[in-house]
Amino acid sequence: RLSPLLRDKEATVFFGAGGSGKTSLALFAALLVQSNTKGAGFVPDPGPVLFLDYEASADEVYHRLVALAGGLEIAVPHIYYRFCVQPLADEVEEIQRTIFTEHIQLVVVDSLGMACGDEPEKAGPVLAFFRGLRALRATSLIVHHANRAGKLYGNVYVINQARSLYEVKASQETDSSLLHIGLHHRKVNSGQLQKPLGIKIDFADETHTLITQADLHGIPDLSRDL
């Protein structure tokens, strides 16, 4: 669905610390697939996208999409949006109707902890989430958080049920608009693990966020993990 990151009809999880650029990358992926635009080395198989928002608001998501579209120099496409409060498992039937009527090909979930409901460190809520996700029958990208030790937060079934898993590590200097990101492929159920990917996000202004490939060898916080 988005080469080389997202395999069609499979669940991919991005996890990392807060402020590491996970949501920006997820919105960027949604934008590329919805608009059929190449960017930062990613090539989409286009289709309608649904964004399930458990953390922000429609206004915030729209403003971020405007800035990302500005960086790509394209018009902002219509991405289907749902403001979410209840666990995904409790809203599967309504979400399924949207997927069917709008022919949704990619579902972005931000983020897994909230979409599980209570106690994502336990097996039950995590398995209920992934059962609901499986019922959607669409490619999915799930944003998730790391714990204080930098490891993936929650139950081991997050790792087991994800078909592909990326760790997101970031480095940003004080008073800089640049955020450097290392995408590390930690797990895949079929195929081969990808080499680490370097990404640079330039939050130039409110209307232009530019995302490009980057060489991380000169970034001390990230180069040692390459």
Side-chain angles (χ1 to χ4, degrees):
R1 184 55 57 179
L2 183 65
S3 178
L5 286 181
L6 307 180
R7 291 175 175 266
D8 197 37
K9 299 296 187 294
E10 294 187 3
T12 298
V13 172
F14 282 1
F15 80 96
S20 59
K22 303 182 299 296
T23 296
S24 292
L25 288 176
L27 286 172
F28 186 64
L31 188 63
L32 297 182
V33 172
Q34 182 73 52
S35 65
N36 192 19
T37 303
K38 298 178 183 178
F42 304 130
V43 181
D45 180 6
V49 178
L50 172 64
F51 189 85
L52 301 179
D53 184 8
Y54 286 86
E55 296 201 352
S57 66
D59 286 344
E60 181 180 344
V61 169
Y62 177 73
H63 288 309
R64 295 179 77 164
L65 285 171
V66 167
L68 289 167
L72 288 168
E73 299 183 343
I74 63 172
V76 183
H78 176 66
I79 291 176
Y80 295 92
Y81 175 90
R82 182 180 177 88
F83 183 88
C84 298
V85 177
Q86 300 300 319
L88 182 141
D90 295 345
E91 298 190 325
V92 164
E93 291 184 3
E94 291 186 26
I95 296 171
Q96 279 179 322
R97 281 194 286 271
T98 300
I99 288 176
F100 178 77
T101 57
E102 306 301 342
H103 307 287
I104 299 297
Q105 299 300 314
L106 171 63
V107 177
V108 179
V109 182
D110 189 9
S111 62
L112 187 147
M114 293 291 289
C116 284
D118 295 333
E119 300 180 305
E121 67 276 11
K122 293 187 176 181
V126 171
L127 290 173
F129 167 80
F130 277 103
R131 280 195 299 269
L133 194 69
R134 180 175 174 82
L136 301 182
R137 298 176 181 266
T139 307
S140 57
L141 171 58
I142 304 105
V143 176
H144 191 36
H145 298 288
N147 61 23
R148 292 180 180 179
K151 304 298 183 181
L152 183 144
Y153 178 76
N155 190 273
V156 68
Y157 276 110
V158 176
I159 298 174
N160 293 345
Q161 293 301 310
R163 301 297 89 188
S164 187
L165 183 72
Y166 283 88
E167 182 177 6
V168 182
K169 293 189 174 184
S171 176
Q172 186 173 25
E173 295 183 0
T174 304
D175 295 327
S176 173
S177 66
L178 300 180
L179 178 68
H180 288 89
I181 294 173
L183 269 177
H184 301 270
H185 201 193
R186 300 305 191 196
K187 177 214 169 176
V188 65
N189 275 57
S190 58
Q192 63 184 27
L193 290 171
Q194 302 291 326
K195 294 180 180 179
L197 297 173
I199 302 291
K200 180 174 69 176
I201 305 181
D202 186 353
F203 299 99
D205 57 55
E206 292 184 355
T207 60
H208 287 82
T209 297
L210 183 62
I211 297 184
T212 55
Q213 287 184 327
D215 183 358
L216 302 181
H217 285 89
I219 312 297
D221 292 345
L222 301 177
S223 60
R224 59 176 172 265
D225 293 322
L226 297 177

